[in-house]
Amino acid sequence: MAGLNDMEKKLAEYKCDTNEAVCLKLVRFPEDIEDDSTTFHPEYSHQTFGDDEVAFGYKGLQIQLYYTAGNLSTLFKVKYSSKVTEKFDCVEADDIEAKIREIIPAGFTCNVDDFNSFLEKDANFKPFGTLLHAYTVHNEEAGELTYQIYKADMTCPGFQEYHERLQTFLMWLIETASFIDADDDHWDFFLVFEKYNKDGETLYATVGYMTVYNYYVYPDKTRPRVSQMIVLPPFQGEGHGAQLLEAVHRFYCSLPKVQDITAEDPSENYVKLRDYVLTKLCQSLPSFASEKLLLGFSDDMVKEARDKLKINKKHARRVYEILRLRATDMSNEDQARDYRLEVKKRLFGPYRKNQRELEKMKKCLRPEELVSHMGQMDTQVQHEELEKSYQEAVGDYRRIIERLASQA
């Protein structure tokens, strides 16, 4: 047994955390290739390397996936200091190359010289599709940086191959990502690029993107649904997600056939981003004026948000709660109480549903089964959860209000 334990310990040395081993890079200049400061790592790697996010068989494993900043031409290299097969017989190392080949499209290189040739050609790269919006972001070191948002589709020459390279980032940055069927012409693609200068030439770097699927709504409308959205790590925290979502929203608002805009299984971060963008858009609507907010959520708000901004009732309600908080004097006891009751009334919906289910259960469950379910629906627990939900919502709303104030 001691020998077996020793063997296990030695083999354990050949396990590598794939979130650390995978090294991603967006390369603008040849010197970036050896510059560790330009490297970033996945948030997730379980979809490629399993739930444990571990690769077996190597010490000092480094899986390099380097992309030219514009066209995303790819360098793929595997490096390691030691491999298990060099020390042990009858032990197989994971086939790293096979796993990576499953997600990156053909056309990559394993040769740095070839990659540098790709980098030279990146000077000719131009964004795909139609320009929707341009904006600037102030950078402490570089000053004003210019960004552009484009709408593209699969009819754009070269875009399909570019998208195949771009979507590989999903596997590292979104927990439950999957590749889409890009042959379906109901997809729209929205891309963010940084526009920058290099040796007197204007170049473009990929920043992030969003995919939107256009669903049919009877009898003659469509419902765009956001499917995927990422901002690449070197650009995160600079406001690009909000710029992208607002530009996309304004684009669909300009289309008469669009009924409303939704999202597929949105993450908590996406919901917060959407709340901010929709509140920014709604705050100037007459029905959301401060004096009207204090009178409660109205049909006028629902109608104006839907007709002018393609916002559905559920999302309009959240915007109302955020703007009403801004309009409420929380030091005034009556105003604070009215606001608290108004938000809790919405939050209480799921608990009210539980009460209705309990009444049904009383008619069909045995006493011992009923006791079990009643324990899950304890009134005191419900009140505590309701208060917790309220405080979390208000905390989120205050952050949105602060962000709106900082952008004013």
Side-chain angles (χ1 to χ4, degrees):
M1 288 296 289
L4 184 60
N5 288 335
D6 288 343
M7 175 68 80
E8 287 176 350
K9 287 177 182 177
K10 288 176 180 176
L11 290 177
E13 295 174 6
Y14 289 88
K15 290 183 178 179
C16 297
D17 179 344
T18 47
N19 286 336
E20 289 297 319
V22 174
C23 298
L24 304 167
K25 197 185 290 273
L26 296 167
V27 179
R28 300 188 185 195
F29 308 101
E31 53 267 29
D32 292 344
I33 295 172
E34 299 299 330
D35 183 355
D36 290 342
S37 70
T38 62
T39 301
F40 57 98
H41 300 279
E43 292 185 34
Y44 310 98
S45 56
H46 61 277
Q47 296 195 109
T48 305
F49 293 101
D51 291 343
D52 291 338
E53 297 182 320
V54 165
F56 173 73
Y58 307 87
K59 286 184 181 180
L61 178 65
Q62 192 177 89
I63 303 163
Q64 297 178 344
L65 283 169
Y66 297 171
Y67 298 79
T68 60
N71 196 42
L72 303 180
S73 302
T74 311
L75 172 69
F76 167 45
K77 289 174 72 77
V78 178
K79 294 183 174 182
Y80 50 86
S81 58
S82 177
K83 191 172 182 179
V84 71
T85 49
E86 297 165 0
K87 298 276 187 180
F88 300 94
D89 295 328
C90 305
V91 178
E92 287 287 326
D94 289 343
D95 189 341
I96 302 296
E97 185 169 328
K99 290 177 183 290
I100 297 296
R101 279 178 178 271
E102 288 179 11
I103 62 169
I104 63 171
F108 64 86
T109 182
C110 299
N111 182 284
V112 174
D113 290 337
D114 290 343
F115 183 71
N116 276 318
S117 297
F118 290 158
L119 198 55
E120 289 173 11
K121 293 174 185 174
D122 225 40
N124 301 318
F125 172 78
K126 296 291 183 285
F128 300 94
T130 306
L131 176 65
L132 295 183
H133 178 58
Y135 60 98
T136 59
V137 172
H138 181 74
N139 181 281
E140 289 294 329
E141 296 177 5
E144 295 295 314
L145 299 177
T146 301
Y147 297 88
Q148 296 180 334
I149 298 173
Y150 289 76
K151 177 185 177 291
D153 58 46
M154 286 298 162
T155 63
C156 300
F159 178 67
Q160 182 170 351
E161 294 79 10
Y162 167 85
H163 174 258
E164 287 175 357
R165 297 188 291 275
L166 176 59
Q167 70 177 350
T168 60
F169 287 103
L170 294 173
M171 292 298 161
W172 311 120
L173 301 176
I174 296 180
E175 188 172 7
T176 55
S178 59
F179 293 161
I180 64 173
D181 176 11
D183 292 332
D184 188 330
D185 61 8
H186 289 83
W187 287 106
D188 287 334
F189 302 85
F190 299 88
L191 310 158
V192 187
F193 296 96
E194 180 188 344
K195 184 179 179 182
Y196 68 101
N197 290 313
K198 174 183 172 184
D199 300 330
E201 293 183 290
T202 299
L203 276 72
Y204 296 87
T206 300
V207 172
Y209 82 116
M210 177 189 290
T211 58
V212 180
Y213 193 85
N214 292 286
Y215 284 89
Y216 167 72
V217 178
Y218 180 84
D220 61 352
K221 298 282 188 181
T222 62
R223 173 173 287 128
R225 180 184 290 178
V226 176
S227 175
Q228 303 157 326
M229 177 180 176
I230 56 170
V231 174
L232 298 175
F235 303 96
Q236 289 175 6
E238 299 176 353
H240 301 295
Q243 290 281 356
L244 175 57
L245 186 54
E246 183 175 346
V248 170
H249 213 94
R250 290 188 183 280
F251 168 76
Y252 286 119
C253 285
S254 70
L255 305 180
K257 284 190 171 291
V258 170
Q259 177 159 305
D260 56 27
I261 303 159
T262 61
E264 178 186 342
D265 191 21
S267 68
E268 188 176 321
N269 285 338
Y270 179 86
V271 170
K272 291 175 182 177
L273 181 66
R274 180 176 63 195
D275 283 345
Y276 165 73
V277 169
L278 298 190
T279 303
K280 181 182 176 185
L281 292 172
C282 284
Q283 63 183 347
S284 59
L285 297 179
S287 62
F288 286 86
S290 295
E291 64 275 10
K292 294 182 179 178
L293 290 164
L294 296 174
L295 298 175
F297 187 52
S298 68
D299 290 340
D300 286 345
M301 293 175 185
V302 175
K303 185 176 187 305
E304 193 171 22
R306 182 189 65 230
D307 293 350
K308 293 185 178 178
L309 296 171
K310 315 291 188 182
I311 297 172
N312 64 33
K313 183 177 180 179
K314 179 182 176 183
H315 298 162
R317 169 72 195 206
R318 289 180 67 89
V319 168
Y320 152 74
E321 291 179 5
I322 294 164
L323 290 175
R324 177 159 177 175
L325 176 61
R326 187 170 71 175
T328 298
D329 179 0
M330 294 302 276
S331 65
N332 179 306
E333 248 182 73
D334 291 338
Q335 285 193 31
R337 184 188 66 249
D338 289 347
Y339 179 77
R340 185 173 64 252
L341 292 174
E342 182 76 353
V343 175
K344 284 189 173 182
K345 183 170 66 176
R346 174 183 64 81
L347 293 172
F348 190 66
Y351 300 105
R352 191 181 295 117
K353 181 182 176 184
N354 281 347
Q355 294 297 333
R356 291 197 296 268
E357 289 177 353
L358 183 59
E359 291 303 317
K360 292 178 185 176
M361 289 175 186
K362 286 179 180 178
K363 299 174 183 177
C364 60
L365 292 181
R366 295 194 300 273
E368 61 272 20
E369 293 174 323
L370 189 58
V371 168
S372 171
H373 283 280
M374 287 180 71
Q376 296 172 24
M377 298 179 180
D378 178 80
T379 305
Q380 179 62 33
V381 172
Q382 286 186 13
H383 281 302
E384 290 172 1
E385 289 182 354
L386 187 61
E387 178 62 22
K388 182 183 176 184
S389 297
Y390 168 75
Q391 294 297 341
E392 287 176 352
V394 169
D396 289 340
Y397 294 172
R398 288 192 192 283
R399 282 185 283 276
I400 290 167
I401 292 167
E402 289 168 5
R403 185 173 180 184
L404 287 168
S406 71
Q407 300 294 321

